[in-house]
Amino acid sequence: MKNKIETINPYNQESLQTYKYHTKKDIDGILKQADSTFEDWRKIEIKERVNLLENLANLMEDNKEKYAKLMTAEMGKPISQSIAEIEKCVWLCDFYITNAEEFLADSIIETDAHESFISYDPLGAVLAVMPWNYPFWQVMRFAIPSLTAGNVGLLKHASNVSGTAIAIQELFEEAGYPKGCFQTLLIGHELIEDIIASDTVKAVTLTGSEVAGRSVAAIAGKNLKKTVLELGGNNACVVFDDANLDEHLETMIKARMQNTGQSCIAAKRFIVSEGIYDEFLERFTRSVLELKSGNPEDKDVFMGVMAREDLAEELEEQVNQSVKMGAKIVTGNKRHKAYFEPTIVTEITPDMPVFKEETFGPVAAIIKAKNNEEAIALAANSRFGLGTMIFTENVDSVYKEIGNIPDGALFVNDMVKSDPRLPFGGTKASGYGRELSKEGILEFVNIKTVYIK
Ligand code: NDP
């Protein structure tokens, strides 16, 4: 078994750092620390926990360039998007600073008791298995509500962003969180089973691939531990005949291409009604050709490299396989190491990989639908269920479609995006459970009924 992790800059393949894996003894110490910290942390007034969020937000604001540079070096995200990611984490803190006390306050329920209410108690240590695509945001989306609710966090981050994983632990400590409130485990995923089985871990949240999700959910199920899974997506961007391209084309491009296409909620399938198809394809292609690729450290670069060369190879394979089945390349489909050119593919059938699988990179599959009804039916034809977007000037026509979209989200005239105020999560192979908002903070609490006669 390997005993160290080497992080590599995917833009220039330079080695960044080498980290020693935690030993069995280290892991035992980390779990013990989590247990003892939880015993104190859970008793702390919610007001005090909320105050620490202020420190966390201020530190992120003050150091956003530093954290952004680290993420960009480790996984190739364009630097302006890395900075925006830290700013979004600050917004997340602000949201829970304003709302956490209210979300976690006892709810009085009138019954025949003298007094009956629900109290929201923390569970203990929550293990978070997290991915590299939004190395700060994905972790904070779990940690900020969970810790504020009185839990302690254990992070098993994706190995290629180990530097970020350590920086996040240090950030919590610097913000004044007690030692052990948030700890990073430097481990390979083969050790996750024992950690989930330990008495310390009470619940698990995973953001990542379906394979990883299924594996973690099976282990957690065997050990009767709760899970929240945020897995892949194959979001459709439905463009009705009357969509306003002047206003929304830029959003649609961003929906596919931001973060170099490596987002679970990205628009992966553009399902376009026949009446607007030719105009859409021409304008979409022109805009994609204008996107600036290059060194992710340059502030005006929009397209960086993919996070690892093997991920770019996998994407290339999905496109090539689809081409063998009859798909046509409009532009792109050239790869150099971890760089994958922004790509547009047409002439797509539902059995092709670019339709039925998640394409986790800058590839837009453009599908022609006979009319708006067929567009909706094609959108729902997916194993995944994270979100759907519909672009139309006739917003009233969308209400009747809400029930026909079997996803965790429906966005009209905007891209599917996460927003601290709204619940976030999927259905079907995209996972279950919700993050963010009130629903997210209540995922990892014991919803306790108190009945006093
Ligand atoms: P993974 O799902 O493999 O990685 C995400 C996290 O899960 C990492 O911390 C990883 O650890 C861990 N992990 C991997 N395999 C297992 C397992 N069997 N049991 C427990 N934990 C595991 O993503 P990849 O980096 O391999 O990316 C592959 C695909 O996953 C992408 O192409 C994309 O489709 C999807 N993905 C989806 C994301 C999302 O936001 N929903 C984010 C990232 C990927 P380690 O690094 O040690 O392997």
Side-chain angles (χ1 to χ4, degrees):
M1 207 165 61
K2 286 191 294 184
N3 62 359
K4 52 183 194 235
I5 306 167
E6 184 187 10
T7 51
I8 292 173
N9 182 326
Y11 178 66
N12 53 23
Q13 288 80 50
E14 275 170 19
S15 174
L16 294 167
Q17 273 294 345
T18 303
Y19 302 91
K20 264 178 70 185
Y21 272 128
H22 283 133
T23 60
K24 179 90 188 54
K25 197 164 152 231
D26 295 333
I27 296 168
D28 288 347
I30 288 169
L31 297 183
K32 231 177 174 170
Q33 177 75 59
D35 279 331
S36 73
T37 304
F38 175 63
E39 274 316 303
D40 299 328
W41 181 242
R42 72 182 178 85
K43 295 176 200 143
I44 285 176
E45 283 282 310
I46 172 83
K47 269 196 176 40
E48 243 181 89
R49 296 203 289 259
V50 167
N51 284 343
L52 290 173
L53 284 179
E54 300 259 10
N55 301 351
L56 201 67
N58 291 337
L59 280 170
M60 284 194 281
E61 187 60 51
D62 294 348
N63 295 290
K64 63 184 167 194
E65 298 269 345
K66 178 178 95 176
Y67 295 133
K69 275 190 186 145
L70 178 58
M71 288 193 284
T72 292
E74 288 194 320
M75 53 69 69
K77 187 194 299 281
I79 191 78
S80 52
Q81 295 172 40
S82 294
I83 291 171
E85 182 170 335
I86 303 295
E87 285 166 350
K88 193 162 174 182
C89 295
V90 173
W91 179 26
L92 181 61
C93 286
D94 290 343
F95 173 74
Y96 282 110
I97 288 167
T98 309
N99 296 295
E101 273 191 78
E102 186 195 321
F103 292 160
L104 295 167
D106 293 345
S107 314
I108 309 286
I109 310 276
E110 295 292 337
T111 65
D112 49 1
H114 162 66
E115 195 182 359
S116 47
F117 59 92
I118 305 166
S119 83
Y120 301 98
D121 300 354
L123 298 178
V126 182
L127 172 68
V129 182
M130 289 289 140
W132 42 263
N133 60 339
Y134 290 90
F136 247 79
W137 169 252
Q138 307 275 31
V139 173
M140 290 300 180
R141 190 168 70 181
F142 138 76
I144 288 170
S146 300
L147 267 57
T148 305
N151 298 298
V152 297
L154 294 167
L155 169 67
K156 187 280 179 259
H157 217 328
S159 314
N160 55 331
V161 290
S162 292
T164 305
I166 291 168
I168 296 174
Q169 174 172 331
E170 288 170 355
L171 168 63
F172 275 99
E173 288 170 1
E174 214 182 313
Y177 282 75
K179 186 172 165 6
C181 248
F182 183 95
Q183 299 180 88
T184 285
L185 292 154
L186 293 174
I187 54 167
H189 61 250
E190 15 359 286
L191 292 187
I192 288 178
E193 176 150 18
D194 286 350
I195 293 170
I196 294 176
S198 75
D199 287 341
T200 300
V201 169
K202 300 295 187 277
V204 191
T205 179
L206 178 140
T207 301
S209 63
E210 191 183 337
V211 174
R214 283 184 190 279
S215 161
V216 160
I219 297 165
K222 199 165 76 182
N223 290 283
L224 287 183
K225 309 268 168 97
K226 175 166 181 174
T227 45
V228 166
L229 299 180
E230 203 275 271
L231 310 178
N234 196 1
N235 288 2
C237 173
V238 175
V239 185
F240 281 174
D241 288 328
D242 64 348
N244 184 340
L245 296 183
D246 291 338
E247 199 171 324
H248 300 304
L249 190 69
E250 205 182 313
T251 301
M252 297 183 207
I253 299 281
K254 199 169 151 202
R256 172 63 279 198
M257 299 296 176
Q258 76 170 7
N259 208 32
T260 319
Q262 302 165 111
S263 166
C264 50
I265 48 170
K268 287 165 190 149
R269 299 171 299 143
F270 290 82
I271 302 178
V272 186
S273 262
E274 203 165 20
I276 198 173
Y277 181 86
D278 290 340
E279 184 194 353
F280 174 84
L281 182 59
E282 194 265 315
R283 293 179 66 174
F284 190 88
T285 306
R286 209 163 357 117
S287 297
V288 164
L289 288 169
E290 282 166 9
L291 295 174
K292 184 163 186 233
S293 298
N295 186 342
E297 284 172 20
D298 289 349
K299 282 221 159 104
D300 57 347
V301 158
F302 184 77
M303 301 298 298
V305 285
M306 291 181 64
R308 299 190 316 250
E309 194 173 340
D310 65 293
L311 295 162
E313 281 167 359
E314 213 175 288
L315 184 65
E316 189 177 35
E317 179 56 32
Q318 289 173 302
V319 176
N320 288 343
Q321 190 57 37
S322 303
V323 168
K324 271 192 206 140
M325 294 168 77
K328 296 269 173 304
I329 304 292
V330 177
T331 182
N333 201 29
K334 292 197 184 62
R335 182 180 72 78
H336 177 68
K337 296 193 187 292
Y339 174 72
F340 198 92
E341 206 178 0
T343 298
I344 298 175
V345 194
T346 56
E347 310 289 319
I348 287 155
T349 50
D351 54 343
M352 292 178 185
V354 294
F355 186 98
K356 66 177 188 187
E357 295 173 9
E358 175 173 45
T359 49
F360 215 65
V363 172
I366 318 259
I367 298 124
K368 192 191 284 184
K370 279 198 216 63
N371 48 43
N372 296 347
E373 287 68 38
E374 191 187 66
I376 292 288
L378 281 164
N381 178 7
S382 174
R383 299 176 55 246
F384 296 95
L386 219 40
T388 292
M389 49 218 102
I390 299 178
F391 287 86
T392 178
E393 286 300 271
N394 182 4
V395 171
D396 287 344
S397 71
V398 173
Y399 288 93
K400 69 176 180 359
E401 303 297 352
I402 296 172
N404 298 327
I405 308 286
D407 296 356
L410 168 64
F411 277 63
V412 180
N413 290 330
D414 206 341
M415 59 194 271
V416 174
K417 56 190 174 187
S418 55
D419 176 324
R421 296 164 293 187
L422 294 166
F424 181 87
T427 60
K428 302 193 269 181
S430 294
Y432 49 74
R434 293 293 178 265
E435 298 192 276
L436 303 174
S437 71
K438 181 172 182 180
E439 283 71 15
I441 201 168
L442 296 185
E443 285 283 6
F444 295 120
V445 293
N446 172 17
I447 299 176
K448 184 190 282 173
T449 295
V450 180
Y451 185 98
I452 302 168
K453 189 94 188 183

